Amino acid sequence: SAVISQKPSRDICQRGTSLTIQCQVDSQVTMMFWYRQQPGQSLTLIATANQGSEATYESGFVIDKFPISRPNLTFSTLTVSNMSPEDSSIYLCSVCLDSNQPQHFGDGTRLSIL
Amino acid sequence: RKEVEQDPGPFNVPEGATVAFNCTYSNSASQSFFWYRQDCRKEPKLLMSVYSSGNEDGRFTAQLNRASQYISLLIRDSKLSDSATYLCVVTLNAGNNRKLIWGLGTSLAVNP
């Protein structure tokens, strides 16, 4: 499986600011995803990060709020924009080597907004 | 009906007990099945894939029943360290698109 490095591991941010989360993989992967997990909840897919093109967002998530970059097959960023307390959550980067393989996750970014 | 359903528990069992979780899925076209384990405030980690023939990994056994559209996870000789949330995951592949559907998880507490 791939080794996934995600940073920052945690942050406390002020309302109205933005934070960019980075995800670095030690090998080229076809599929990269960004998830959110709110307290006591299961995982919610935010978007699929597509290399060289715009991310594919799930219902309820928009590019203006969660811009995503994926400049190559080993790296992606997720920005949480104009943060509010409702954005307090764990954000997880996930990769998949091919469509029949399980996904693997980074350690997550624990985000708290004051 | 939810796409993937799990009993949220919690399951409270003594050490050494055998415990089983089921997970039902609604889409008969589902192709791949996995169990993940998630510890409190940690990321999910793959526990095992689930194959049609069933598979075993040490104290863990996973089964798939396509006819009834459920998968199961059996844990034998429970350890304190097995306490976690167990997430069922089902995938649907459509061309290059892959959709993962996560259950809400079943909470297990193994007590001394």
Side-chain angles (χ1 to χ4, degrees):
Chain A
S1 63
V3 175
I4 306 164
S5 302
Q6 190 175 331
K7 58 181 181 182
S9 58
R10 63 180 67 240
D11 208 339
I12 301 172
C13 300
Q14 294 292 328
R15 190 189 298 246
T17 62
S18 298
L19 177 76
T20 295
I21 303 167
Q22 297 181 2
C23 179
Q24 178 76 55
V25 191
D26 69 341
S27 58
Q28 293 187 337
V29 291
T30 313
M31 289 170 272
M32 291 182 78
F33 307 92
W34 287 99
Y35 283 84
R36 181 172 76 180
Q37 187 172 30
Q38 293 179 306
Q41 302 293 314
S42 190
L43 297 153
T44 301
L45 179 64
I46 297 172
T48 301
N50 300 309
Q51 194 263 326
S53 64
E54 200 170 280
T56 305
Y57 288 85
E58 297 299 307
S59 175
F61 297 96
V62 295
I63 188 171
D64 290 345
K65 176 67 176 176
F66 297 101
I68 286 170
S69 79
R70 188 163 177 206
N72 55 55
L73 293 175
T74 64
F75 185 77
S76 178
T77 67
L78 168 75
T79 299
V80 186
S81 303
N82 188 25
M83 288 184 284
S84 66
E86 293 72 36
D87 295 321
S88 296
S89 188
I90 298 174
Y91 292 85
L92 293 149
C93 168
S94 178
V95 305
C96 189
L97 298 180
D98 72 55
S99 61
N100 289 315
Q101 296 296 314
Q103 287 185 211
H104 299 278
F105 289 84
D107 291 343
T109 297
R110 285 151 189 78
L111 183 58
S112 299
I113 291 91
L114 304 177
Chain B
R1 182 183 173 190
K2 288 182 185 171
E3 291 183 281
V4 175
E5 287 201 72
Q6 293 183 250
D7 180 344
F11 285 63
N12 284 286
V13 303
E15 258 186 300
T18 295
V19 61
F21 311 134
N22 278 345
C23 168
T24 60
Y25 59 95
S26 61
N27 193 326
S28 60
S30 301
Q31 293 171 287
S32 304
F33 308 87
F34 307 98
W35 282 103
Y36 279 75
R37 171 199 168 123
Q38 186 171 26
D39 293 285
C40 188
R41 299 178 65 77
K42 298 277 195 180
E43 76 282 12
K45 289 190 191 294
L46 177 68
L47 181 63
M48 57 199 306
S49 304
V50 188
Y51 304 116
S52 297
S53 54
N55 48 304
E56 188 173 307
D57 182 4
R59 296 181 295 110
F60 299 85
T61 301
Q63 297 275 357
L64 165 63
N65 185 320
R66 284 196 182 269
S68 301
Q69 293 183 205
Y70 76 85
I71 67 172
S72 63
L73 178 67
L74 181 78
I75 305 175
R76 288 181 297 278
D77 188 22
S78 301
K79 311 290 184 193
L80 296 177
S81 56
D82 293 333
S83 298
T85 297
Y86 291 84
L87 299 161
C88 163
V89 186
V90 172
T91 71
L92 287 168
N93 296 338
N96 289 327
N97 295 320
R98 168 188 163 118
K99 182 180 177 185
L100 248 71
I101 306 158
W102 292 78
L104 294 180
T106 298
S107 178
L108 171 66
V110 180
N111 306 304

